[in-house]
Amino acid sequence: MNILVIGGGGREHTLAWKLAQSPRVEQIFAIPGNPGMAKVAQCVEGISLDNNEMIVAFAQQAAIDMAVVGPEAPLTRGLVDALEEVGIPAFGPSQAAAELEGSKSFAKAMMEKYHIPTARFKVFTKAEEARDYVKEQGAPIVIKADGLAAGKGVVVAQTVEEAISAVNNIMEGNSFGNAGSRVVIEECMVGEEASLLAFTDGETIVPMISSQDHKRAYDGDKGPNTGGMGTYAPAPVMTPDMVEIAVEKVLKPIIAGMKAEGRPYKGCLYAGLMITAEGPKVVEFNARFGDPETQVVLPLLKSDLAEIMLACCEGKLDQQEIQWSDGAAVCVVLASGGYPGSYMKGAPIHGLEEAEAAGTMVFHAGTAEKDGKIVTSGGRVLGVVAEAENIKAAVDKAYAGVEKIHFQGVQYRKDIAHRALERMQG
Ligand code: AMP
Ligand code: GLY
């Protein structure tokens, strides 16, 4: 098979790395890819991710047998539909199904209709009414921009003042464009968060190993929200019983509901869960693999990813036997100093080979090649991943790799997986 991977972050590097292990895969292309992916894929320059036509034309010309779409934006712009229209199987949801991530109000309405546990909520299109509702409900309370906002559209407000200024900023400021014309206001849920990703062909659902992300920038879960500073898998909070509850109460009803609505969902469904005293509740759905969850989930997959993905495209997931390693994996993200605020680019990165010699895998997220050297080019630069028999051993191994890597201003969390470690000690 010839495979086309869409995207160029740490998630896509991990997808390409895992796909390359399949004996059925001949060649992998990536648009745009990154210098790390270049080891396993041919990176294609000059095609914009928002140009469906050019991507489809490239896929036809390169005789692609299956495309794998990483990020949410091309999914919500209908790239999967465009590829399928010319007969190229594409792993990922259609535009209509990707609404589950693209519109929070759609996702909430689906959860309400299909009785899926989630935070109580109300949707507003008028700022005045939203402010009145906030005053009536009090704090803490959660304010969300309706559309895609690159992870920046959510404010967990501790005071009414903070909530009102979030409403004003989202609905009356300019930073969110169309995504801010509508807000979802939610009850603030209390508990531990976990991510449960699943393969689905629209009918059969196979949950992956659970994982947990660290979204805050600094140690102790302090500082601003980021795209994710590190992950570990499995998440101890997701016991086998809890996974089963989540499959029954969340994954099965949402996949059946999407089918009933005429928006059958195939690909990877990401359920962001809050494990509350009343059980798992949905924080959000994403229409794609998580980043950096993928970096810890896929190393634990023992089966052939290309076969599983093709089975999802062909509606034959029930015929796949999917096996997981019983070890653990940890990912530490190395970011540019200043991230998630402004940061410098172009710093040379040293020690990549030494980190790999120390037994870690290094997935590239924001890197570029300049004069034959790898340099920084984004906020999240690298994901250093280790696999071991348990989380403690994987943490030690991952940080041993991290210590080998240097670039100017490097910033990373030193406490990845602390909750899991505390849980195991306690
Ligand atoms: P989202 O972009 O929906 O994933 O939200 C970003 C983060 O905000 C989540 O990972 C949670 O930590 C937090 N969050 C979102 N919704 C809620 C909620 N209803 N209650 C508590 N925390 C929330
Ligand atoms: N790591 C969170 C996400 O991929 O949305």
Side-chain angles (χ1 to χ4, degrees), residues 169-198:
N169 179 30
I170 293 172
M171 299 189 85
E172 292 170 347
N174 296 321
S175 28
F176 292 95
N178 265 345
S181 56
R182 221 192 275 221
V183 289
V184 178
I185 302 189
E186 284 188 6
E187 152 203 19
C188 186
M189 299 184 286
V190 181
E192 196 168 332
E193 279 183 74
S195 307
L196 187 63
L197 282 60

Side-chain angles (χ1 to χ4, degrees), residues 134-277:
V134 164
K135 285 179 206 153
E136 180 197 309
Q137 294 289 312
I141 193 159
V142 181
I143 316 291
K144 301 185 173 184
D146 184 47
L148 288 185
K152 294 185 186 106
V154 176
V155 176
V156 181
Q158 296 305 328
T159 63
V160 169
E161 291 71 37
E162 202 187 330
I164 287 180
S165 85
V167 168
N168 295 345
N169 179 30
I170 293 172
M171 299 189 85
E172 292 170 347
N174 296 321
S175 28
F176 292 95
N178 265 345
S181 56
R182 221 192 275 221
V183 289
V184 178
I185 302 189
E186 284 188 6
E187 152 203 19
C188 186
M189 299 184 286
V190 181
E192 196 168 332
E193 279 183 74
S195 307
L196 187 63
L197 282 60
F199 293 109
T200 179
D201 59 3
E203 200 78 49
T204 302
I205 300 163
V206 181
M208 302 185 208
I209 288 219
S210 63
S211 55
Q212 199 156 3
D213 186 9
H214 293 265
K215 290 207 166 114
R216 302 294 201 98
Y218 312 132
D219 285 1
D221 291 318
K222 297 204 170 67
N225 258 316
T226 70
M229 293 299 290
T231 38
Y232 56 96
V237 66
M238 292 304 286
T239 57
D241 281 353
M242 195 61 79
V243 171
E244 188 163 334
I245 294 171
V247 169
E248 292 301 320
K249 300 214 155 164
V250 175
L251 297 178
K252 283 189 182 170
I254 193 70
I255 293 299
M258 292 298 282
K259 188 181 170 197
E261 299 293 321
R263 303 174 187 241
Y265 188 104
K266 69 154 206 312
C268 171
L269 178 64
Y270 169 130
L273 302 172
M274 186 76 82
I275 310 306
T276 71

Side-chain angles (χ1 to χ4, degrees), residues 11 213 215 227-228 270 284 286 288-293 380:
R11 163 184 51 212
D213 186 9
K215 290 207 166 114
Y270 169 130
E284 60 167 346
N286 291 322
R288 50 170 176 82
F289 280 92
D291 189 348
E293 283 88 341
R380 291 190 291 173

Side-chain angles (χ1 to χ4, degrees), residues 39-54:
K39 283 192 194 156
V40 292
Q42 192 174 319
C43 300
V44 181
E45 284 171 26
I47 300 182
S48 161
L49 280 197
D50 55 22
N51 193 328
N52 287 357
E53 249 171 60
M54 276 181 81

